[in-house]
Amino acid sequence: QVQLVESGGGLVQAGGSLRLSCVVSGRVVYTNVMGWYRQAPGEQRELVATITFGGATNYADSMKGRFTISRDNAKNAVYLQMNSLKPEDTAVYYCNANIRTDASMRFTPYWGQGTQVTVSS
């Protein structure tokens, strides 16, 4: 019933920029923390950045100063602006959102299908 749909991935040269988008649809009462994670081949999924409903952000150290996370609560969307991209940023990027779907106080984590980002040297 809840879907997260990502877009904006692709191939870019080192030093370039990309903007990822993720829109939440379905039976959503409230979306709490939203975030982006990434997974490179042979590696574990790792945190990129998170943002609360109120706009407080948290970044992995290697992304600070290069990546910016933002959200539009009215559209139930989260974005990731990636600048100064490096080959080591190559990965599948996943959107994540903690969502309440009913009147209870229970939040459930949902994931998007992932979008490939490839940075060439």
Side-chain angles (χ1 to χ4, degrees), residues 3-45:
Q3 281 191 314
L4 278 62
V5 179
E6 298 133 335
S7 60
L11 173 65
V12 64
Q13 289 189 328
S17 298
L18 282 175
R19 185 173 187 254
L20 306 183
S21 299
C22 173
V23 179
V24 179
S25 64
R27 186 184 175 88
V28 176
V29 172
Y30 179 73
T31 303
N32 193 358
V33 178
M34 304 181 81
W36 291 94
Y37 292 74
R38 70 184 187 184
Q39 188 168 18
E43 302 289 334
Q44 289 189 332
R45 191 172 297 188

Side-chain angles (χ1 to χ4, degrees), residues 59-74:
Y59 294 91
D61 287 343
S62 62
M63 286 68 155
K64 288 179 181 177
R66 299 190 301 124
F67 293 6
T68 302
I69 190 170
S70 61
R71 65 188 284 173
D72 184 331
N73 291 328

